Amino acid sequence: MREWNDIAVIAPSRDIDIASVPLLREEVDSLIADGTRRILVNCRDVGFIDSTGLAFLLTRARCLMQRDGLLSLVNASPAVVRFLQIARLLDILHVTPADRPPVPLLTPGESPVWSKSISIREGVENLGGYRHRLLELLDTLPMDRDAAYDTALAAGEALGNAYDHASGAGCVMNVRAYHDRVVIEVCDCGEGYEIAADEEPSESEERGRGIRLMRLLVDSVEVRRRTDVQGTVVRLVKLLAA
């Protein structure tokens, strides 16, 4: 069974090619040796991947798969996506393009296929149980295991914030499944916090790093103050397979 603290994000500062692969290989191999099983490669600054880079990514992706892990490329440019598409490697490397279209709006008044509200108990030791409970719910939807795992991991980050800022007291996780998506809202009773969709959180804040990670894992992330009571609501949307 996968652990929940075995994820890492690396961000190459230039193209993944014969010049940069040696250092990247050292970094990734060190992570794998230390037990990391989920590696996200943030390709924001990568404009090109050559055959050496491709061989490196494939071998490490297969290495992680043998350990029940996963290597993903996120924020990939159109050129990189096109290259991997021609090579028929989009699925193997689990590529997410940088120019993802906005999540379509739900039809006004559309009701969920099902919904579940889960009250969160105090005590951060309960966090793992809620992540696994969410996985059980996601297993009923047309999602592959990696998409479900990423969604549960993103929800875990939101739950972690709820425990950090409100100790879990009065917190609720609402899960709603629609025909094309799953929507998860984690509501806490802390002081309240919000951040715009196009705003970059500070890397020096723990919450900021969590938001960055959630944005890499799901299709939409909203963080805003609650309107009913004091606190924060984190809304995550993950689109289902077509």
Side-chain angles (χ1 to χ4, degrees), residues 10 38-43 57 61 64 70-74 92-96 146 150:
I10 65 172
R38 180 74 167 90
I39 297 178
L40 297 170
V41 183
N42 190 341
C43 296
L57 292 170
L64 285 167
L70 180 69
L71 182 144
S72 299
L73 306 185
V74 297
I92 295 176
L93 292 176
H94 299 273
V95 180
T96 301
D146 295 319
D150 285 355

Side-chain angles (χ1 to χ4, degrees), residues 10-238:
I10 65 172
S13 59
R14 54 179 174 147
D15 295 342
I16 301 177
D17 57 19
I18 191 171
S20 63
V21 161
L23 287 178
L24 287 174
R25 183 186 296 116
E26 182 178 338
E27 181 179 9
V28 170
D29 287 352
S30 177
L31 289 170
I32 295 174
D34 288 341
T36 301
R37 294 296 175 262
R38 180 74 167 90
I39 297 178
L40 297 170
V41 183
N42 190 341
C43 296
R44 179 184 56 192
D45 297 319
V46 176
F48 183 81
I49 300 177
D50 71 2
S51 59
T52 301
L54 189 58
F56 156 69
L57 292 170
L58 283 173
T59 56
R60 271 47 187 185
R62 288 168 178 156
C63 178
L64 285 167
M65 288 173 65
Q66 292 172 358
R67 292 164 169 78
D68 194 30
L70 180 69
L71 182 144
S72 299
L73 306 185
V74 297
N75 283 335
S77 70
V80 168
V81 171
R82 177 60 178 163
F83 169 66
L84 295 173
Q85 186 177 39
I86 292 172
R88 299 182 179 180
L89 296 174
L90 288 180
D91 292 335
I92 295 176
L93 292 176
H94 299 273
V95 180
T96 301
D99 55 348
R100 286 185 292 179
V103 173
L105 297 176
L106 286 168
T107 303
E110 181 175 353
S111 298
V113 177
W114 56 257
S115 63
K116 180 72 174 178
S117 182
I118 303 172
S119 296
I120 307 302
R121 292 180 296 171
E122 293 186 51
V124 71
E125 67 275 6
N126 296 307
L127 176 59
Y130 292 118
R131 288 182 300 223
H132 288 284
R133 173 61 179 135
L134 178 58
L135 270 182
E136 293 174 356
L137 294 173
L138 298 178
D139 280 343
T140 68
L141 302 175
M143 303 177 72
D144 62 36
R145 66 168 190 166
D146 295 319
Y149 178 81
D150 285 355
T151 304
L153 182 57
E157 289 294 321
L159 286 166
N161 281 343
Y163 276 111
D164 187 27
H165 300 288
S167 301
C171 301
V172 176
M173 179 170 64
N174 298 312
V175 186
R176 300 190 299 275
Y178 295 87
H179 73 284
D180 66 341
R181 72 193 68 192
V182 61
V183 179
I184 302 164
E185 291 183 344
V186 176
C187 306
D188 69 42
C189 296
E191 295 182 359
Y193 174 80
E194 64 184 26
I195 184 170
D198 59 352
E199 184 179 351
E200 287 295 326
S202 172
E203 293 186 0
S204 63
E205 299 176 3
E206 292 185 8
R207 180 184 293 172
R209 288 194 291 271
I211 292 172
R212 288 175 182 272
L213 181 56
M214 286 186 278
R215 287 174 174 173
L216 293 175
L217 295 169
V218 297
D219 295 293
S220 175
V221 178
E222 296 179 23
V223 182
R224 61 181 186 273
R225 288 185 173 86
R226 297 177 64 172
T227 57
D228 52 347
V229 296
Q230 179 175 291
T232 303
V233 57
V234 179
R235 187 176 189 268
L236 311 173
V237 178
K238 185 73 169 180

